[in-house]
Amino acid sequence: MYSIVYIMYSKLYKREYTLKLENNLRKFRFEKDEISQQALANAVGVTRLTIHSIETGKFNPSTLLALKIARFFEVNVEEIFYLAEENQS
Amino acid sequence: MMKQKMKPLRIVNLMLGVISIAFFVFDTIVFLRLQPKMVAFVPLTHYEEPLLTWIGVGLLILLLFYLLSILQLASFMKQADRVRGSDIFLLILGVVAGVLVFSDVALFSDINKQYLAGFEQPEWSLVYPIMGFQLVIVLFYMVFHLSGKWQRKSAEKINRDVNIFLMVQYVGLVCGLMGLSIMSLGFFFPSGWNLVTHTLITGAILTFPYILSLGYWLVTKLSEKDRQLFDEKQRLDVGKSAFLTLIIITFLMFGVFLYNLGHLEGVIRMLWFPLYLFSSLFIFSLGNLFFSRRG
């Protein structure tokens, strides 16, 4: 019984630990008249490199920036940003 | 095809470039005439002495040409879609060539002093290679000024700059590396090291391009609508880079301290600050570039 609880706990712990933030930003950008990274950056007040880094998953935006991006695309923030397991693409 | 309108800065640069090339020809003729006389300690005529003043004027024009060309390149890079390696390479060459104008002044001053004191002038061997390098850079820059490449601008509006930020880091990298290389010479030639000439003046000259580019970046930031120095990713990158710099510099300076423990009154008393300054500049700029490019 103890082993089962331990395994379940490990699995849960591991799962929680490997969650990462992913996004559909590129998809949304192309769906919205294929706007450029620069145009989106101008709209939300960051640099083009920051948008590029978010799209490639190398930088997690702040809550404020995520909300600004969602407002720009007129969708809920969860539609653009979501949690995924580390090994998922 | 639409003809491009020439902007004032480009016209000024073209004029300064032509004058600089003319001065290179003038300098070569003067040096070929003066060098044999000065090496043999033959007195200069009344007509020859003022020529040295004109060489000084030529150097001032050359420095102005480099500064304004770098300014034009920077404003072109600011509007570019991305920072290209070739533009960075040209920028670095321009910074090095501009810094070398100060070494020209130092060389000519040393040559003149040694000639007047009756000493040999081994510095002559450095004059031609340095001037040759500077002429090549002037010619390179003139090609770009003539082609109008640095005048073209991207159609897309940029609210928040990133290219000038990256450019400042490249300039910091070059200045830091040059400063470290030159200041390290103090350990190899401690007896000839001079606090005013080598530490203070050379240090100031080598930080000058970085201060200028930093000033340009600040002006760019102040002209932006929200006037924020960094966006959230840049702030994170700068923070990471500053932390990395702190760790590495602490170990590096501790190593320098230990290495000089027995002779802290030696040349290290003139070198510790420039070593600290240029190492910080180099590591901080490198860190910023690494973290900016990585993400």
Side-chain angles (χ1 to χ4, degrees):
Chain A
M1 184 64 188
Y2 175 75
S3 307
I4 293 166
V5 171
Y6 177 73
I7 289 166
M8 282 176 70
Y9 174 76
S10 318
K11 290 265 182 193
L12 277 171
Y13 176 74
K14 196 185 169 191
R15 188 176 173 187
E16 195 179 22
Y17 193 73
T18 55
L19 285 177
K20 64 176 274 194
L21 188 69
E22 290 200 350
N23 66 76
N24 295 316
L25 193 53
R26 198 178 176 82
K27 181 176 147 259
F28 271 88
R29 213 161 43 79
F30 278 85
E31 279 175 5
K32 187 158 180 160
D33 302 330
E34 293 187 12
I35 64 155
S36 65
Q37 290 181 339
Q38 185 62 61
L40 177 60
N42 286 347
V44 294
V46 291
T47 64
R48 179 184 44 79
L49 264 184
T50 300
I51 298 296
H52 173 74
S53 304
I54 295 170
E55 281 189 2
T56 51
K58 287 169 182 167
F59 172 65
N60 289 339
S62 66
T63 316
L64 179 67
L65 180 56
L67 287 167
K68 277 185 184 176
I69 292 171
R71 177 185 273 189
F72 176 78
F73 289 111
E74 296 168 329
V75 292
N76 287 326
V77 74
E78 296 92 335
E79 289 179 57
I80 304 175
F81 297 98
Y82 57 93
L83 287 171
E85 281 196 35
E86 187 84 74
N87 56 355
Q88 280 184 340
S89 57
Chain B
M1 207 171 126
M2 227 173 80
K3 206 172 179 184
Q4 256 186 335
K5 199 181 165 191
M6 288 233 297
K7 294 207 167 174
L9 185 59
R10 187 176 159 212
I11 297 168
V12 171
N13 275 326
L14 281 169
M15 283 163 59
L16 287 175
V18 171
I19 299 170
S20 297
I21 293 169
F23 262 107
F24 274 112
V25 176
F26 170 77
D27 288 357
T28 311
I29 295 167
V30 170
F31 290 149
L32 288 174
R33 186 186 165 104
L34 294 190
Q35 188 186 1
K37 282 188 159 186
M38 291 174 90
V39 169
F41 303 107
V42 175
L44 301 180
T45 64
H46 291 299
Y47 298 106
E48 286 167 338
E49 276 176 4
L51 294 177
L52 296 170
T53 312
W54 282 106
I55 288 171
V57 173
L59 287 176
L60 267 178
I61 291 172
L62 183 64
L63 182 65
L64 195 64
F65 171 75
Y66 286 135
L67 284 175
L68 292 181
S69 296
I70 289 170
L71 182 71
Q72 189 164 0
L73 175 57
S75 57
F76 166 73
M77 283 166 69
K78 189 178 159 187
Q79 293 293 324
D81 301 334
R82 63 186 176 87
V83 178
R84 286 172 183 81
S86 55
D87 293 334
I88 290 297
F89 183 64
L90 282 169
L91 179 89
I92 290 170
L93 287 179
V95 169
V96 174
V99 167
L100 283 175
V101 173
F102 294 97
S103 82
D104 287 336
V105 175
L107 272 180
F108 299 146
S109 164
D110 282 354
I111 287 172
N112 195 35
K113 276 181 197 162
Q114 277 156 240
Y115 161 73
L116 292 174
F119 295 130
E120 281 185 15
Q121 305 123 40
E123 290 87 352
W124 277 112
S125 58
L126 289 172
V127 168
Y128 295 107
I130 292 177
M131 277 180 59
F133 170 75
Q134 287 173 320
L135 176 63
V136 169
I137 305 303
V138 170
L139 293 175
F140 254 129
Y141 276 19
M142 280 300 276
V143 170
F144 284 96
H145 289 313
L146 285 168
S147 70
K149 192 207 168 222
W150 290 348
Q151 200 172 291
R152 285 176 210 138
K153 286 191 171 181
S154 149
E156 203 159 23
K157 191 184 161 202
I158 297 169
N159 285 357
R160 269 192 154 279
D161 161 73
V162 65
N163 291 351
I164 299 297
F165 175 77
L166 294 176
M167 189 198 79
V168 173
Q169 308 316 316
Y170 280 110
V171 174
L173 198 72
V174 175
C175 291
L177 197 62
M178 281 169 72
L180 268 179
S181 314
I182 291 172
M183 293 302 158
S184 301
L185 291 175
F187 290 114
F188 298 102
F189 310 104
S191 56
W193 200 260
N194 183 282
L195 177 68
V196 177
T197 316
H198 298 122
T199 304
L200 296 177
I201 296 177
T202 310
I205 289 168
L206 290 171
T207 44
F208 183 63
Y210 184 71
I211 292 167
L212 273 185
S213 58
L214 204 62
Y216 183 64
W217 173 73
L218 271 174
V219 170
T220 307
K221 288 284 125 188
L222 290 175
S223 62
E224 284 174 359
K225 213 174 176 180
D226 59 4
R227 291 192 169 192
Q228 281 184 18
L229 291 183
F230 309 107
D231 79 342
E232 60 182 62
K233 180 168 185 300
Q234 280 179 330
R235 199 176 295 120
L236 186 77
D237 293 341
V238 169
K240 280 194 234 174
S241 186
F243 179 68
L244 187 78
T245 307
L246 175 72
I247 301 285
I248 296 175
I249 287 295
T250 306
F251 281 104
L252 190 77
M253 293 312 285
F254 182 63
V256 170
F257 177 72
L258 281 184
Y259 179 74
N260 291 280
L261 205 54
H263 40 275
L264 285 171
E265 72 291 340
V267 74
I268 189 65
R269 76 192 156 84
M270 295 188 273
L271 288 178
W272 71 268
F273 181 69
L275 280 179
Y276 164 75
L277 178 76
F278 290 115
S279 312
S280 305
L281 192 57
F282 177 70
I283 298 164
F284 182 65
S285 304
L286 188 67
N288 277 332
L289 280 174
F290 175 74
F291 292 121
S292 299
R293 294 286 184 192
R294 193 169 157 259

